[in-house]
Amino acid sequence: MLKSYDAGWAATLRRKAVWLAVAGVIAAGSPAELGSSFAYASDSRIPANAVIVWDGNAQAAIWDIAGQQPQVQARSFAMVHGAIYDAVNAIAGTPYQPYLIAPAANGAESTNAAVATAAFRVLNALFPAQQVRLKTQYDESLAAIPAGTAKRRGITVGTQAAAAMIAARQNDGAFGSQTWTVGTQPGQWRPTPPTFASDGAWVGYLKPFLIPSASMFRTSGPPSLTSHRYTRDFNEVKTIGSATSTVRTADQTQAAIWWHDRHLGEWEIKRQLATTQRLNTLQTARMFAMVDLAEADATTACYNEKGTWNFWRPVTAIQLADTDGNPETVADPNWMPLLVTPPHPDFTSGHTCFTAASMSALAYFFGRDDISFSGYSADSGTTRYFRGFSQAIAEVINARVWGGIHTRTADEQGAKIGAQVTAYMVRHYFRPKR
């Protein structure tokens, strides 16, 4: 167990490092550029934001019905919101760089028709088995829009944006045949109890949406098994991440479960912020696209790391510690984590990559860190509240350790990659054109 002063000092350094990562992302862009174009929607009498509506529809298709896991969800959401953004941005006069395409538009088109069409056509391509249900949602959306030229032209813009996205993601490596290497030596990953599953290796080979290469932010790898850092990581997760831990608090247990929920809190947070900050349709489309595309590439980059380093999970490391050559680690053959270990290697943490990308993208978009938000998890039965984006990043780093499924180094390096992906995005994509 870490000494109290070591733990306190480490926590201070972590909070500082996380905030510097987020602050660096904000500085990489220029919040001042947002000033002239960043304006709230006028009042609550504005009809429902079509981007929020279709994000909910996308969640139903991607998770509620298809049950895609987070590393798969990331690609699907990115495709939907990249297409929505291009359609809305075009109708608004292309004030920001298009992601893929700027369909011809004069501003008289129905934005709601464009949003519904772009989202429906991407989702229909992703989930052909859901075609009837999706078509019903689409028809209901279109029925609420008055017939006429604006509606027809909006449908055309949405169709073109969706077609560009679908074409761009053909043969992108999704659902490839790659598998994780099952190791036999100390430090090497192998399937973990109780499921002993192996899944998702193809994600590390997926064609990125934004960054030039999945290996662009390659780390130096996990610490050596006999290093002081590894010993600290090992003893921390062994003590606090155990299913029977006596030092983990009730709140830490709830946080671990909350962040492990496959019904991701990030979805609710994104929609909540668009509503509470009263974003208009263009702002919402841009924000959702920035968040979702950054999340997708951060996930790919971290899965590429997992395949490169193939590092064992805490449950394996602790049960087999008598083989690691480190006299400061003690094996416990019966040790099990609080949470079920995901079916892929430890280093780096996909969830901290994902969350750091989303939260740093939000910090950049809003030009500040101190916006409050919350999210509910049915798994934990709790709502967690956050004072700002960096607090959420700091908590997910801790939560994966508290759950016993990641080492702290894997979490921190994952969060760093997430922030780096966002930093690349804000330098190269979605920038104001005037």
PDB file of all heavy atoms in Angstrom, residues 69-83:
ATOM      1  N   GLN A  69     -19.944  -2.665 -28.224  1.00  0.00           N
ATOM      2  CA  GLN A  69     -19.077  -2.294 -27.106  1.00  0.00           C
ATOM      3  C   GLN A  69     -18.391  -0.955 -27.400  1.00  0.00           C
ATOM      4  O   GLN A  69     -18.331  -0.515 -28.554  1.00  0.00           O
ATOM      5  CB  GLN A  69     -18.060  -3.397 -26.864  1.00  0.00           C
ATOM      6  CG  GLN A  69     -18.685  -4.680 -26.351  1.00  0.00           C
ATOM      7  CD  GLN A  69     -19.440  -4.477 -25.039  1.00  0.00           C
ATOM      8  OE1 GLN A  69     -18.858  -4.098 -24.028  1.00  0.00           O
ATOM      9  NE2 GLN A  69     -20.745  -4.718 -25.055  1.00  0.00           N
ATOM     10  N   PRO A  70     -17.876  -0.269 -26.360  1.00  0.00           N
ATOM     11  CA  PRO A  70     -17.360   1.087 -26.544  1.00  0.00           C
ATOM     12  C   PRO A  70     -16.370   1.253 -27.683  1.00  0.00           C
ATOM     13  O   PRO A  70     -16.418   2.256 -28.411  1.00  0.00           O
ATOM     14  CB  PRO A  70     -16.716   1.391 -25.186  1.00  0.00           C
ATOM     15  CG  PRO A  70     -17.543   0.619 -24.220  1.00  0.00           C
ATOM     16  CD  PRO A  70     -17.892  -0.664 -24.934  1.00  0.00           C
ATOM     17  N   GLN A  71     -15.455   0.290 -27.855  1.00  0.00           N
ATOM     18  CA  GLN A  71     -14.458   0.442 -28.907  1.00  0.00           C
ATOM     19  C   GLN A  71     -15.086   0.344 -30.300  1.00  0.00           C
ATOM     20  O   GLN A  71     -14.529   0.854 -31.280  1.00  0.00           O
ATOM     21  CB  GLN A  71     -13.336  -0.593 -28.753  1.00  0.00           C
ATOM     22  CG  GLN A  71     -13.754  -2.036 -28.993  1.00  0.00           C
ATOM     23  CD  GLN A  71     -14.294  -2.730 -27.751  1.00  0.00           C
ATOM     24  OE1 GLN A  71     -14.633  -2.086 -26.766  1.00  0.00           O
ATOM     25  NE2 GLN A  71     -14.349  -4.053 -27.786  1.00  0.00           N
ATOM     26  N   VAL A  72     -16.254  -0.278 -30.398  1.00  0.00           N
ATOM     27  CA  VAL A  72     -16.980  -0.383 -31.663  1.00  0.00           C
ATOM     28  C   VAL A  72     -17.934   0.797 -31.812  1.00  0.00           C
ATOM     29  O   VAL A  72     -18.079   1.377 -32.892  1.00  0.00           O
ATOM     30  CB  VAL A  72     -17.758  -1.712 -31.751  1.00  0.00           C
ATOM     31  CG1 VAL A  72     -18.346  -1.912 -33.141  1.00  0.00           C
ATOM     32  CG2 VAL A  72     -16.862  -2.880 -31.372  1.00  0.00           C
ATOM     33  N   GLN A  73     -18.592   1.161 -30.721  1.00  0.00           N
ATOM     34  CA  GLN A  73     -19.485   2.314 -30.705  1.00  0.00           C
ATOM     35  C   GLN A  73     -18.792   3.562 -31.239  1.00  0.00           C
ATOM     36  O   GLN A  73     -19.402   4.381 -31.938  1.00  0.00           O
ATOM     37  CB  GLN A  73     -19.940   2.617 -29.281  1.00  0.00           C
ATOM     38  CG  GLN A  73     -20.741   1.561 -28.580  1.00  0.00           C
ATOM     39  CD  GLN A  73     -20.802   1.808 -27.085  1.00  0.00           C
ATOM     40  OE1 GLN A  73     -20.372   2.865 -26.601  1.00  0.00           O
ATOM     41  NE2 GLN A  73     -21.322   0.842 -26.342  1.00  0.00           N
ATOM     42  N   ALA A  74     -17.519   3.723 -30.888  1.00  0.00           N
ATOM     43  CA  ALA A  74     -16.796   4.947 -31.233  1.00  0.00           C
ATOM     44  C   ALA A  74     -16.824   5.199 -32.741  1.00  0.00           C
ATOM     45  O   ALA A  74     -17.057   6.328 -33.190  1.00  0.00           O
ATOM     46  CB  ALA A  74     -15.358   4.868 -30.726  1.00  0.00           C
ATOM     47  N   ARG A  75     -16.580   4.158 -33.523  1.00  0.00           N
ATOM     48  CA  ARG A  75     -16.607   4.311 -34.980  1.00  0.00           C
ATOM     49  C   ARG A  75     -18.001   4.691 -35.473  1.00  0.00           C
ATOM     50  O   ARG A  75     -18.154   5.574 -36.331  1.00  0.00           O
ATOM     51  CB  ARG A  75     -16.160   3.004 -35.640  1.00  0.00           C
ATOM     52  CG  ARG A  75     -16.312   2.978 -37.163  1.00  0.00           C
ATOM     53  CD  ARG A  75     -15.859   1.630 -37.722  1.00  0.00           C
ATOM     54  NE  ARG A  75     -15.990   1.554 -39.172  1.00  0.00           N
ATOM     55  CZ  ARG A  75     -17.036   1.032 -39.809  1.00  0.00           C
ATOM     56  NH1 ARG A  75     -18.065   0.544 -39.104  1.00  0.00           N
ATOM     57  NH2 ARG A  75     -17.073   0.985 -41.129  1.00  0.00           N
ATOM     58  N   SER A  76     -19.024   4.032 -34.949  1.00  0.00           N
ATOM     59  CA  SER A  76     -20.389   4.278 -35.408  1.00  0.00           C
ATOM     60  C   SER A  76     -20.837   5.706 -35.109  1.00  0.00           C
ATOM     61  O   SER A  76     -21.385   6.394 -35.984  1.00  0.00           O
ATOM     62  CB  SER A  76     -21.345   3.272 -34.751  1.00  0.00           C
ATOM     63  OG  SER A  76     -21.007   1.943 -35.092  1.00  0.00           O
ATOM     64  N   PHE A  77     -20.612   6.173 -33.881  1.00  0.00           N
ATOM     65  CA  PHE A  77     -20.990   7.544 -33.534  1.00  0.00           C
ATOM     66  C   PHE A  77     -20.204   8.563 -34.369  1.00  0.00           C
ATOM     67  O   PHE A  77     -20.743   9.588 -34.785  1.00  0.00           O
ATOM     68  CB  PHE A  77     -20.770   7.808 -32.045  1.00  0.00           C
ATOM     69  CG  PHE A  77     -21.927   7.414 -31.170  1.00  0.00           C
ATOM     70  CD1 PHE A  77     -21.851   6.305 -30.350  1.00  0.00           C
ATOM     71  CD2 PHE A  77     -23.100   8.155 -31.161  1.00  0.00           C
ATOM     72  CE1 PHE A  77     -22.915   5.932 -29.538  1.00  0.00           C
ATOM     73  CE2 PHE A  77     -24.178   7.804 -30.350  1.00  0.00           C
ATOM     74  CZ  PHE A  77     -24.086   6.687 -29.535  1.00  0.00           C
ATOM     75  N   ALA A  78     -18.937   8.300 -34.599  1.00  0.00           N
ATOM     76  CA  ALA A  78     -18.122   9.220 -35.390  1.00  0.00           C
ATOM     77  C   ALA A  78     -18.659   9.336 -36.811  1.00  0.00           C
ATOM     78  O   ALA A  78     -18.701  10.438 -37.384  1.00  0.00           O
ATOM     79  CB  ALA A  78     -16.666   8.755 -35.402  1.00  0.00           C
ATOM     80  N   MET A  79     -19.065   8.229 -37.400  1.00  0.00           N
ATOM     81  CA  MET A  79     -19.617   8.270 -38.750  1.00  0.00           C
ATOM     82  C   MET A  79     -20.909   9.082 -38.791  1.00  0.00           C
ATOM     83  O   MET A  79     -21.110   9.921 -39.687  1.00  0.00           O
ATOM     84  CB  MET A  79     -19.867   6.853 -39.259  1.00  0.00           C
ATOM     85  CG  MET A  79     -18.595   6.081 -39.590  1.00  0.00           C
ATOM     86  SD  MET A  79     -18.930   4.393 -40.170  1.00  0.00           S
ATOM     87  CE  MET A  79     -19.794   4.725 -41.722  1.00  0.00           C
ATOM     88  N   VAL A  80     -21.779   8.860 -37.834  1.00  0.00           N
ATOM     89  CA  VAL A  80     -23.051   9.585 -37.795  1.00  0.00           C
ATOM     90  C   VAL A  80     -22.818  11.083 -37.660  1.00  0.00           C
ATOM     91  O   VAL A  80     -23.352  11.902 -38.428  1.00  0.00           O
ATOM     92  CB  VAL A  80     -23.939   9.073 -36.635  1.00  0.00           C
ATOM     93  CG1 VAL A  80     -25.148   9.988 -36.440  1.00  0.00           C
ATOM     94  CG2 VAL A  80     -24.389   7.650 -36.902  1.00  0.00           C
ATOM     95  N   HIS A  81     -21.988  11.475 -36.694  1.00  0.00           N
ATOM     96  CA  HIS A  81     -21.852  12.905 -36.417  1.00  0.00           C
ATOM     97  C   HIS A  81     -20.902  13.612 -37.376  1.00  0.00           C
ATOM     98  O   HIS A  81     -21.026  14.829 -37.570  1.00  0.00           O
ATOM     99  CB  HIS A  81     -21.476  13.118 -34.955  1.00  0.00           C
ATOM    100  CG  HIS A  81     -22.659  12.948 -34.054  1.00  0.00           C
ATOM    101  ND1 HIS A  81     -23.737  13.810 -34.088  1.00  0.00           N
ATOM    102  CD2 HIS A  81     -22.972  11.984 -33.151  1.00  0.00           C
ATOM    103  CE1 HIS A  81     -24.644  13.413 -33.223  1.00  0.00           C
ATOM    104  NE2 HIS A  81     -24.208  12.300 -32.641  1.00  0.00           N
ATOM    105  N   GLY A  82     -19.993  12.890 -37.999  1.00  0.00           N
ATOM    106  CA  GLY A  82     -19.210  13.515 -39.055  1.00  0.00           C
ATOM    107  C   GLY A  82     -20.092  13.904 -40.221  1.00  0.00           C
ATOM    108  O   GLY A  82     -19.960  14.995 -40.804  1.00  0.00           O
ATOM    109  N   ALA A  83     -21.039  13.029 -40.591  1.00  0.00           N
ATOM    110  CA  ALA A  83     -21.957  13.325 -41.692  1.00  0.00           C
ATOM    111  C   ALA A  83     -22.933  14.436 -41.323  1.00  0.00           C
ATOM    112  O   ALA A  83     -23.192  15.348 -42.138  1.00  0.00           O
ATOM    113  CB  ALA A  83     -22.724  12.058 -42.077  1.00  0.00           C
TER     114      ALA A  83
END
